[in-house]
């Protein structure tokens, strides 16, 4: 058989699958090690290398400043060669899209090594096109816009390919979350900068990190599968599944990190007591829920009370504890009017119960959904999107007296900016 045909069709032995995944990694490692040795010699001879673009970056991302300078130096011969050859930067950008699209198709067909390395190559081209454009004086707003939009297509192509491969598996859900998260991260930045906020490099899981995590986890996953299940025609590719799950979680965390930074930037000030209120409110909610559960179990199992009656009693007991602790401890609102606070708390509790019941009913429409998981997910979402905002701003709002200068931190405080970028 033709080796190239075998590679494209997947007709490879277990050993050949290992080498098709590992060989590019070994070449990449060799290039980095040789470059690291040359970089060390260069540093001893001429001092530390400084790249202006790397110096201009903020504190976001998972890489360090020294790693960025080394990577810029390592990639320098590549973009300088492309610039010297007169390769148009837009052609490099569009080639990256073609490679990523091919990677997505390969992944959908189950050729993870091929698809992963194509995506890593597309990511490298995404770095090179901007460098070539600036080196040749061809950088322009239109080129930046083209690059930004096509970047979204590159990432989406790979995630869609993964979603297709995992269409009958639980991994489909992380694929979809990773797809939406990878779109929200740049959107929040673009929206913030359009509103005048300085959003440069806010967030820890940015595009470069997502390319490395997703590309390498997909490209290297056939190595494990060739060892664990060499005869499986459709292996689960656990390393790739772990990588896309990590992207799903961290991309949304980064989007929320940027959103929080943006809201604080536009609002101007951040109430200091809100930092204590959120964890305290979570603790109060957990305690009230536990008490609710215990009361229901005691009444149903211990006394034989009807479940509806026991449920109502549990809700009342949990609600009383939640109101008392929220008022006195979580939000420190004992100075407020107790009657109106109690009435508002009843409204929040009642509406929360309806939302929780509806959320569980909706989640149970999914096949094989466990009712306990549905209950936990619904409680989490309702608390984050409804209960806590209402408790903080409606039931126990911060009084003007409490919201004085000692309880607020202006965003101009550099320590606040460092925390938001961590």
């Amino acid at each position: 058989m033709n080796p190239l045909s075998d590679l494209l069709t997947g007709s490879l032995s277990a050993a050949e699958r290992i080498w098709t995944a590992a060989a590019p990694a070994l070449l990449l490692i060799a290039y980095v090690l040789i470059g690291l040795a040359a970089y060390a010699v260069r540093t001893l001879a001429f001092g530390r290398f400084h790249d202006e673009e790397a110096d201009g970056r903020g504190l976001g991302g998972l890489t360090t400043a020294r790693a960025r300078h080394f990577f810029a130096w390592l990639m320098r011969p590549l973009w300088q060669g492309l610039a010297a050859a007169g390769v148009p930067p837009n052609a490099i950008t569009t080639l990256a899209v073609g490679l990523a699209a091919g990677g997505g198709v390969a992944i959908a067909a189950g050729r993870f090594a091929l698809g992963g390395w194509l995506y890593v190559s597309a990511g490298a081209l995404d770095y090179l096109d901007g460098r070539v454009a600036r080196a040749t004086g061809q950088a322009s707003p239109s080129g930046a816009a083209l690059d930004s939009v096509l970047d979204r297509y590159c990432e989406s192509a790979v995630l869609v390919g993964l979603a297709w491969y995992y269409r009958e598996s639980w991994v489909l859900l992380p694929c979809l979350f990773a797809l939406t998260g990878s779109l929200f991260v740049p959107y929040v930045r673009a929206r913030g900068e359009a509103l005048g906020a300085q959003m440069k490099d806010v967030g820890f899981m940015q595009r470069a990190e997502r390319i490395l995590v997703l590309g390498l986890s997909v490209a290297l996953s056939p190595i494990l599968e060739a060892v664990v299940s060499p005869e499986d025609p459709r292996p689960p590719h656990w390393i790739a599944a772990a990588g896309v799950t990590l992207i799903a979680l961290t991309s949304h965390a980064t989007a929320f990190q940027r959103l929080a930074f943006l809201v604080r930037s536009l609002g101007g000030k951040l109430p200091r007591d809100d930092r204590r209120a959120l964890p305290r409110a979570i603790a109060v909610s957990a305690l009230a829920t536990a008490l609710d559960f215990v009361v229901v179990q005691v009444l149903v199992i211990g006394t034989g009370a009807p479940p509806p009656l026991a449920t109502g009693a549990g809700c009342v007991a949990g609600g009383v504890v939640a109101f008392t602790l929220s008022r006195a401890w979580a939000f420190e609102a004992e100075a407020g009017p107790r009657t109106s606070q109690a009435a508002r708390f009843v409204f929040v509790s009642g509406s929360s119960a309806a939302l929780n019941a509806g959320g569980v009913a909706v989640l149970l429409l999914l096949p094989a959904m466990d009712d306990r998981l549905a209950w936990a997910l619904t409680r989490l979402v309702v608390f984050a999107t409804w209960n806590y905002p209402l408790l903080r701003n409606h039931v126990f709002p911060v009084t003007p007296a409490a919201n004085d200068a000692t309880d607020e931190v202006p965003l101009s405080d550099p320590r606040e900016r460092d925390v938001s970028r961590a």
Side-chain angles (χ1 to χ4, degrees), residues 79-147:
W79 64 257
Q80 285 182 337
L82 291 172
V87 178
N90 283 351
I92 302 175
T93 303
T94 52
L95 176 60
V97 178
L99 293 181
V105 173
I107 292 169
R111 314 298 175 241
F112 275 48
L114 176 61
W117 288 118
L118 284 174
Y119 182 52
V120 172
S121 301
L125 292 179
D126 178 55
Y127 175 86
L128 295 173
D129 59 1
R131 292 284 180 153
V132 171
R134 288 181 286 275
T136 58
Q138 299 181 60
S140 65
S142 61
L146 177 68
D147 179 65

Side-chain angles (χ1 to χ4, degrees), residues 144 234 263 284 376:
R234 191 177 179 83
V263 171
V284 169

